[in-house]
Amino acid sequence: MKPTHPAASRENTRLGIAAGIAAYSIWGLVPIFFKQVAEVPATEIIAHRVVWAMLLMTLLLGFGRGFGDALRLARQPALLGRVALAAGLVVANWLAFVWGVNNGRIMETALGYFVLPLLNVALGVVVLHERMRPLQWVAIALAGVGVAIEATRATDLPWIALLLAGTFGIYGLMRKQLPLDAASGLFLETVCMTPPALAWLAWIAYGGEAHFGIGNGFSATDLLLVLTGPVTAVPLLLFAVAARRLPLSVMAFLQYFAPSISFLVALLVYHEPLDLRRLATFAAIWLGLAVYSADLVKAMSRPAPEAE
């Protein structure tokens, strides 16, 4: 008798849904956190985020599953090089996100993560040679219409949204092909990022431009910069719990929590403008996501072909 898959257990399914909602809710609300350190340049915030996340993941792995998987991959230069490249994509993604949040463009960051699932489908076709169903083509086309509408704005292309979707989409594709769990993967990525992060923190401290440890005692800014580590690691680990226990169709719906919450935060908390053109952009992308979700549910509801 085959063992029951964790996702088939009602208790594990409930745990997966709770963990998924928690992860995406944290990601959706995280702009509020980064707004509290808006006086700190994005480059310094990301450097701290890397260092404190690395220390936290070291503790978690040390007291948890250990470093076996990470050390096994680290002994393979080709795979370690791919981890380093993935780490570079993460840094670019984090920089764009924090810069966007702290420069009043939270709504544009939300737009990027609304586009992401549709970009993932397109990457599957281009890179993995997957075949798209007709409704998926419609969803991609609608997302393209939304981006085209945004490009007609008087300012410029929605480069933050495109950079966020592009870097995280390619990062997800690379991580999918690496034989690493989420915790070991994040640990190795932060290890790769830590030397340049420490070098940058040392450089700005030498130049008198650092915002960490400059007052008497441990300041609120110091605490917030330390907390960038848990803010990075905790939702990713919660996501890993959810991904192991839930089917793809449920995860596909949960992933809309984060940009939806960020959109509401931008609109209701920070009163970012929502003109008709941007509303049309979101409407086209939301319609594309609705078509994509309907097609996904339809595909998941079909009975699997019987083995001969």
Side-chain angles (χ1 to χ4, degrees):
M1 183 176 179
K2 293 181 179 179
T4 303
H5 191 277
S9 161
R10 183 175 297 179
E11 182 180 347
N12 275 289
T13 300
R14 284 200 296 264
L15 175 61
I17 291 174
I21 291 175
Y24 284 112
S25 296
I26 293 171
W27 279 328
L29 292 170
V30 81
I32 297 175
F33 173 84
F34 285 115
K35 277 287 191 183
Q36 307 312 304
V37 284
E39 76 279 4
V40 181
T43 50
E44 185 176 354
I45 292 173
I46 297 309
H48 278 284
R49 190 175 186 180
V50 167
V51 171
W52 298 114
M54 188 275 293
L55 292 174
L56 179 60
M57 294 311 301
T58 301
L59 290 173
L60 289 175
L61 286 181
F63 288 100
R65 62 188 304 159
F67 301 94
D69 289 344
L71 290 174
R72 174 181 51 79
L73 189 143
R75 296 188 186 101
Q76 304 176 61
L79 289 179
L80 187 59
R82 288 163 63 186
V83 171
L85 180 56
L89 290 169
V90 169
V91 168
N93 183 273
W94 289 353
L95 277 171
F97 180 81
V98 172
W99 189 93
V101 166
N102 289 346
N103 283 272
R105 298 171 78 166
I106 298 174
M107 200 169 289
E108 194 171 327
T109 68
L111 176 62
Y113 289 113
F114 276 125
V115 170
L116 178 59
L118 302 178
L119 176 63
N120 286 337
V121 175
L123 285 172
V125 172
V126 174
V127 180
L128 302 179
H129 308 292
E130 297 174 352
R131 296 183 63 184
M132 283 208 303
R133 296 181 291 272
L135 284 180
Q136 290 179 315
W137 283 112
V138 173
I140 295 295
L142 287 167
V145 169
V147 173
I149 292 172
E150 187 71 7
T152 64
R153 294 174 68 86
T155 51
D156 54 7
L157 276 170
W159 66 269
I160 294 177
L162 296 176
L163 185 58
L164 287 174
T167 52
F168 203 79
I170 298 171
Y171 166 76
L173 181 65
M174 293 186 68
R175 285 292 284 114
K176 181 182 178 69
Q177 298 171 328
L178 285 170
L180 272 177
D181 61 276
S184 297
L186 180 60
F187 169 72
L188 269 184
E189 287 161 8
T190 53
V191 166
C192 290
M193 293 185 260
T194 295
L198 287 174
W200 180 249
L201 291 175
W203 175 258
I204 60 177
Y206 176 77
E209 299 175 2
H211 291 75
F212 183 83
I214 57 173
N216 295 322
F218 197 68
S219 69
T221 298
D222 293 341
L223 175 61
L224 288 169
L225 289 173
V226 171
L227 288 177
T228 56
V231 164
T232 299
V234 170
L236 185 61
L237 296 175
L238 287 169
F239 171 81
V241 171
R244 285 196 301 268
R245 288 165 173 80
L246 297 176
L248 178 63
S249 57
V250 177
M251 291 301 294
F253 283 112
L254 289 180
Q255 71 182 336
Y256 304 142
F257 267 68
S260 298
I261 293 172
S262 292
F263 175 84
L264 293 174
V265 166
L267 189 64
L268 302 177
V269 178
Y270 297 109
H271 309 293
E272 291 188 15
L274 181 64
D275 55 29
L276 287 176
R277 191 170 299 177
R278 176 148 287 178
L279 186 59
T281 295
F282 276 101
I285 291 171
W286 285 333
L287 182 57
L289 290 173
V291 171
Y292 164 76
S293 301
D295 176 76
L296 186 61
V297 170
K298 182 180 177 182
M300 294 292 291
S301 64
R302 292 190 190 120
E306 295 183 3
E308 294 182 359

